[in-house]
Amino acid sequence: MERYADIVLPLAQPAYTYAVADGLDVEEGQAVAVQFGARRIYTGIVWRIHGRRPDFPRIKTVSRVLYDRPLLDARQRALWEWMADYYLCTLGEVMRFALPQTIKPSGNSEQEFADREYRPRTELYAALDASLHDEERFHDLMERLSRRAPRQYAALLAIASAEGGDRISTGEVPRRLLEADAATLAALQKKGLVTLTRRERSVERGCVRFQLPTLTPAQQSCLDTIRGHFDAGRRTVLLHGITGSGKTELYIHLIAEALVRGGDVLLLVPEIAITAQLIARLERIFGSRVTAYHSKLTLARRTESYLRLTRSDGGELVVGARSALFLPLRHLQLIVVDEEHDTGYKQTDAQPRYNARDVAVVMARLREARTVLGSATPSLESYANALGGKYGLATLDERYGDARPPLVLVSDTLRAVKRNERKTHFNRLLLDKLADVLARGEQAMLFQNRRGFAPYVECRACGWTARCPRCNVTLTYHKRDHRLQCHYCGHVETVPVRCPACRAGEVTPAGFGTEKVEEELARLFPAARIERLDRDTATSERAYRAIIDRFESGQSDLLVGTQMITKGFDFARVSLVGILNADNLLFAPDFRAAERAFQLMTQVAGRAGRRDAAGEVVIQTTEPEHPVIRQVAAGDYEAMARTQLAERRAFAYPPYARLIRLTLRQRDRDLLYRASAALAVALRGRFGRRAMGPVAPPVDRIREEYITEFLLKIESGASASRAREVLREVLRQTLGAKEFQTVTLSCDVDPQ
DNA sequence: AGCACGCCGACT
DNA sequence: GTCGGCGTGCTC
């Protein structure tokens, strides 16, 4: 019977059907090289093999299979399919991000393709010839060689002793463990004394005895709670552990349990948190079972890890960023998502716009594995799932050791202005505290969540910002027509001439970034050594490391930065943390603003926690009574969650509804607007008021393309898969029209 | 994503 | 009169 294969190519296209050459040994999930178009050769994934002849005029043939086993098993394929369906993209787009680049070469000719194919690193292995296993003969030989050929003598001795001390070796010894040069080994081979084999390097997986950290009673009981949830059949557990409570120790115990049972474990961490220190710590405990997988590794390394894992038989610990989700862990038992609230888990710049935390939960369900989501400040989505009983909840609210929570002071910026106690962006309280810190020879960190200009309007005197009357968001300043617009409902108003709050100040599109703060600090404290940490100064891993190292070793006194300063470092001498303007966190044009503000301020505040004395945190704001400020000061996550969840429910935002954002782009503005109008009509016909838009985003022209956005709200209870189905249909019907074929559409499911 | 086909400006 | 710009449509 004729065989055909539906093949997924790394394109935003559905699968293409090729004929399978007679007698070609190929199975689903395997990678193949196929010609596409006139001369291009792509790596494709065989998705399905069947006997139905497609009615295309020209059917090309798959003739070459890559690798000796499938890159994807059935469960991985099921996950890709789930992703393509859920995130409204093609399997090809999943393929582009799920497989490391060099595992799927492409080229403009057979030759070019072949040149780009992955070749495993090989290594020379040396073994003594069987004739030398006779001890007497070996000693005779060695005696002769020791005088006449000292290098050959040394090489043989090294091979013989590499395994089993002074006994005569029977196994192969990798060249890198020998000090012998190639010529010496070649000479020995020629004499028939040694056999040399070149082959793929094998990773030795020595047995290690895991040295697990001892747990405090609080940690132990939390671990028991997690186990209890799993035993009761819960797939997912949210571990809510405050800063410094030692969540990592719990992870280590859970990881060890899974590894001991022969299972694989995936530890997901935000990209920036994958440091040499974390890897080193895990390697100290789990030895060679640890595989790091993230963007800083070379392409060859990532491919090597991927291929190695396809033939592993369990007991693997992969530590990686979001793309590690796609590794072929065939015995997956546990996924740990650390800092599960971190926005870095969401891919925002390209399709598929997936959230690795959510995909992890789904994958664990498909694979009958378990997931632990850990955070000091869980996302409201996860927390609501825990409250609703969908996830188990384990809480760890005791700090490790004697560490005390920081003392949070709220400084009222409006009052400071009235009393003439504000210099540029600093209130008196913060200035005094900074002066004290410097006088005591301690360190301080200053947090400002902005680098450049500010896309909103602010009163120059009191810091008031304009907000939408219908949505709980800040209005976005539109430079083009000097008006204020709500990013969510489309509401528009003019910029007030005078500040409605203090009646004194002038309202201008303003704001300030870290650079300005650094400059002002230098003027206010000329003797202090100041450093700045943001995307502008931390241009590379090394530059980043250098700034951190100088601060850690006391070569700088003040560190100004964006959220980069919040990530996982423990600076022993930091006794003060200043948050310069909490308002732009609280009133960001985003329904998650309050949640984010709480998370960010709590994380920053956590940097001030020292081992011996409690650190201090100063929050500057014009709204000292804002519930989120009070909740941060009290360290009361539950209160924040309660109020925010109530608001989300009232406004039908996640987790009480799902959002899908549609973005249309086109160079011709009129054409774009016509397409947007047509889509608006069609969407409202099917979704009614749940479809909002079109809205012009704050930046409504990028790279000569105009942009409009729609937001679709699907309330919980409604079938999300049905909604996606209807949406796909609407999109196909409206944007599929000839007139609009050149309008580019992108979908973002669960946008950040 | 790439690449060929095709219709309008600046050049030997 | 051609070379080449990139808009448009197609690739199993």
Side-chain angles (χ1 to χ4, degrees):
Chain A
M1 191 184 75
E2 289 177 317
R3 286 181 304 158
Y4 298 93
D6 297 340
I7 292 177
V8 172
L9 299 173
L11 307 171
Q13 298 286 326
Y16 284 80
T17 307
Y18 287 75
V20 179
D22 260 357
L24 185 72
D25 195 14
V26 61
E27 58 179 301
E28 290 170 352
Q30 273 194 305
V32 290
V34 288
Q35 191 181 48
F36 187 69
R39 57 168 95 92
R40 195 129 245 277
I41 316 281
Y42 279 117
T43 300
I45 299 293
V46 176
W47 212 256
R48 220 169 59 78
I49 296 173
H50 55 85
R52 261 203 356 268
R53 183 190 179 82
D55 57 349
F56 295 114
R58 274 203 315 280
I59 301 167
K60 288 184 181 164
T61 303
V62 196
S63 47
R64 193 151 74 92
V65 175
L66 305 171
Y67 311 109
D68 58 1
R69 66 187 58 221
L71 292 186
L72 299 171
D73 64 21
R75 296 172 305 179
Q76 281 175 290
R77 276 179 277 140
L79 183 74
W80 284 28
E81 280 178 351
W82 179 84
M83 282 188 71
D85 174 54
Y86 187 84
Y87 289 108
L88 298 166
C89 64
T90 65
L91 287 167
E93 287 170 312
V94 177
M95 178 180 175
R96 291 176 57 184
F97 284 91
L99 294 179
Q101 221 177 87
T102 54
I103 216 171
K104 47 172 170 40
S106 62
N108 286 317
S109 63
E110 289 283 4
Q111 186 57 55
E112 200 176 69
F113 184 93
D115 290 344
R116 293 176 184 173
E117 270 183 79
Y118 173 77
R119 277 167 203 77
R121 287 188 304 174
T122 58
E123 201 176 10
L124 208 57
Y125 286 79
L128 292 188
D129 187 77
S131 63
L132 296 180
H133 292 159
D134 181 283
E135 211 155 322
E136 208 170 309
R137 272 177 85 168
F138 181 73
H139 284 301
D140 286 354
L141 176 73
M142 292 303 269
E143 209 175 325
R144 261 184 293 135
L145 283 180
S146 68
R147 276 173 277 123
R148 296 198 356 238
R151 293 180 137 200
Q152 293 183 15
Y153 167 81
L156 277 184
L157 196 62
I159 299 169
S161 59
E163 256 180 43
D166 52 2
R167 287 249 173 271
I168 293 170
S169 163
T170 50
E172 291 185 319
V173 184
R175 159 90 191 277
R176 88 194 116 87
L177 296 181
L178 304 172
E179 298 227 332
D181 57 62
T184 310
L185 289 175
L188 286 169
Q189 186 179 33
K190 210 167 167 193
K191 285 184 183 172
L193 300 174
V194 159
T195 43
L196 296 176
T197 354
R198 174 164 288 284
R199 58 181 166 76
E200 209 173 317
R201 184 167 168 171
S202 61
V203 182
E204 302 89 41
R205 297 276 306 274
C207 325
V208 268
R209 219 242 216 79
F210 303 156
Q211 289 286 335
L212 301 184
T214 19
L215 301 181
T216 62
Q219 287 173 323
Q220 186 59 53
S221 96
C222 186
L223 185 60
D224 292 340
T225 306
I226 295 172
R227 286 199 195 109
H229 284 306
F230 286 148
D231 292 343
R234 287 247 165 65
R235 284 252 95 90
T236 312
V237 173
L238 174 64
L239 167 57
H240 177 201
I242 61 167
T243 314
S245 59
K247 290 185 287 295
T248 313
E249 284 77 29
L250 293 194
Y251 300 156
I252 288 169
H253 278 256
L254 291 162
I255 290 167
E257 279 170 32
L259 293 179
V260 161
R261 289 196 304 261
D264 296 330
V265 179
L266 176 61
L267 171 58
L268 287 181
V269 289
E271 181 78 50
I272 194 162
I274 311 172
T275 57
Q277 287 105 305
L278 173 67
I279 302 294
R281 178 167 186 201
L282 293 167
E283 276 175 347
R284 248 175 280 131
I285 297 166
F286 299 111
S288 56
R289 286 161 178 259
V290 179
T291 303
Y293 193 84
H294 50 82
S295 65
K296 277 167 248 152
L297 301 176
T298 63
L299 297 171
R301 249 293 189 322
R302 276 179 265 172
T303 296
E304 191 178 286
S305 295
Y306 193 105
L307 291 173
R308 185 181 72 74
L309 290 170
T310 59
R311 59 191 73 193
S312 157
D313 41 41
E316 304 279 350
L317 169 57
V318 170
V319 187
R322 60 172 182 251
S323 63
L325 269 178
F326 302 108
L327 288 171
L329 292 171
R330 297 182 303 156
H331 305 271
L332 187 68
Q333 283 191 6
L334 175 70
I335 307 177
V336 177
V337 184
D338 188 29
E339 306 289 349
E340 65 86 27
H341 66 280
D342 196 287
T343 54
Y345 285 122
K346 171 82 178 181
Q347 174 155 296
T348 50
D349 48 1
Q351 214 68 265
R353 295 183 162 78
Y354 68 100
N355 187 320
R357 178 242 295 153
D358 299 338
V359 178
V361 171
V362 170
M363 174 161 77
R365 207 172 58 213
L366 291 172
R367 308 276 299 259
E368 311 215 328
R370 285 153 175 178
T371 313
V372 173
L373 307 176
S375 176
T377 52
S379 66
L380 289 179
E381 282 83 352
S382 298
Y383 194 64
N385 278 330
L387 292 181
K390 202 171 153 198
Y391 297 171
L393 179 63
T395 312
L396 192 54
D397 50 13
E398 204 172 274
R399 283 203 165 203
Y400 201 80
D402 296 328
R404 268 182 285 162
L407 179 67
V408 179
L409 306 166
V410 182
S411 177
D412 184 345
T413 298
L414 273 178
R415 210 153 88 177
V417 169
K418 276 189 195 137
R419 294 183 175 184
N420 210 13
E421 288 180 350
R422 185 165 163 95
K423 273 189 202 160
T424 64
H425 294 106
F426 299 88
N427 300 349
R428 161 113 280 142
L429 177 68
L430 182 53
L431 286 176
D432 289 349
K433 293 277 178 198
L434 277 169
D436 288 352
V437 163
L438 291 170
R440 289 198 302 263
E442 294 169 352
Q443 291 176 307
M445 289 168 101
L446 290 162
F447 174 77
Q448 169 58 26
N449 196 30
R450 199 179 295 283
R451 299 181 297 137
F453 73 103
Y456 63 94
V457 295
E458 192 181 51
C459 167
R460 300 192 63 126
C462 72
W464 169 90
T465 57
R467 315 198 41 211
C468 178
R470 300 217 305 262
C471 306
N472 202 12
V473 292
T474 307
L475 293 176
T476 304
Y477 174 61
H478 283 244
K479 215 172 178 176
R480 199 161 37 85
D481 50 10
H482 193 64
R483 288 202 298 182
L484 300 166
Q485 191 189 36
C486 172
H487 202 7
Y488 290 89
C489 70
H491 169 84
V492 170
E493 60 184 60
T494 54
V495 181
V497 182
R498 212 145 331 105
C499 172
C502 71
R503 307 240 159 101
E506 199 187 325
V507 177
T508 51
F512 60 103
T514 44
E515 197 171 354
K516 203 165 175 191
V517 173
E518 186 190 15
E519 202 180 279
E520 288 169 359
L521 272 177
R523 221 176 34 244
L524 292 163
F525 302 101
R529 295 164 301 172
I530 305 162
E531 289 240 36
R532 174 157 60 96
L533 184 68
D534 56 29
R535 231 187 307 156
D536 299 326
T537 61
T539 47
S540 67
E541 177 70 14
R542 273 181 62 200
Y544 171 76
R545 211 45 250 172
I547 296 169
I548 295 283
D549 284 347
R550 282 196 294 274
F551 192 59
E552 217 161 15
S553 62
Q555 291 173 67
S556 49
D557 308 307
L558 305 178
L559 185 65
V560 182
T562 54
Q563 37 204 321
M564 253 183 211
I565 64 171
T566 64
K567 299 288 173 176
F569 294 94
D570 227 0
F571 302 115
R573 290 167 57 235
V574 175
S575 53
L576 176 68
V577 165
I579 295 169
L580 284 160
N581 183 4
D583 295 17
N584 61 23
L585 300 176
L586 295 171
F587 305 128
D590 178 349
F591 70 90
R592 280 188 241 263
E595 176 190 0
R596 289 270 162 70
F598 181 91
Q599 286 164 343
L600 218 47
M601 285 193 271
T602 303
Q603 305 264 348
V604 182
R607 303 294 96 208
R610 297 194 309 154
R611 268 165 222 116
D612 44 348
E616 285 185 321
V617 179
V618 174
I619 301 175
Q620 297 190 153
T621 175
T622 62
E623 297 239 8
E625 299 302 312
H626 192 290
V628 170
I629 298 285
R630 304 173 84 163
Q631 288 151 359
V632 171
D636 194 347
Y637 173 86
E638 280 77 14
M640 184 281 291
R642 226 178 302 118
T643 43
Q644 292 308 315
L645 284 174
E647 262 185 57
R648 300 279 183 92
R649 192 191 287 277
F651 289 90
Y653 273 116
Y656 302 103
R658 294 157 182 274
L659 300 182
I660 298 177
R661 180 161 57 209
L662 307 175
T663 307
L664 300 189
R665 292 179 295 142
Q666 175 34 270
R667 289 168 74 118
D668 180 341
R669 201 175 144 179
D670 288 342
L671 177 59
L672 174 68
Y673 283 22
R674 281 201 303 281
S676 304
L679 183 57
V681 169
L683 284 174
R684 271 193 261 290
R686 301 303 293 271
F687 293 101
R689 295 181 55 201
R690 284 164 290 191
M692 292 170 284
V695 175
V699 184
D700 69 347
R701 193 180 186 217
I702 295 176
R703 267 179 268 195
E704 303 195 318
E705 281 187 316
Y706 288 92
I707 302 165
T708 60
E709 286 180 355
F710 288 86
L711 198 63
L712 205 59
K713 258 187 198 176
I714 301 148
E715 56 277 73
S716 330
S719 162
S721 65
R722 171 78 188 133
R724 286 194 299 274
E725 208 175 292
V726 172
L727 176 60
R728 264 190 286 259
E729 158 117 9
V730 167
L731 292 173
R732 195 164 41 77
Q733 278 177 1
T734 47
L735 300 180
K738 205 167 215 139
E739 189 194 357
F740 300 139
Q741 260 175 16
T742 58
V743 177
T744 315
L745 163 80
S746 64
C747 302
D748 189 352
V749 177
D750 305 332
Q752 287 282 322

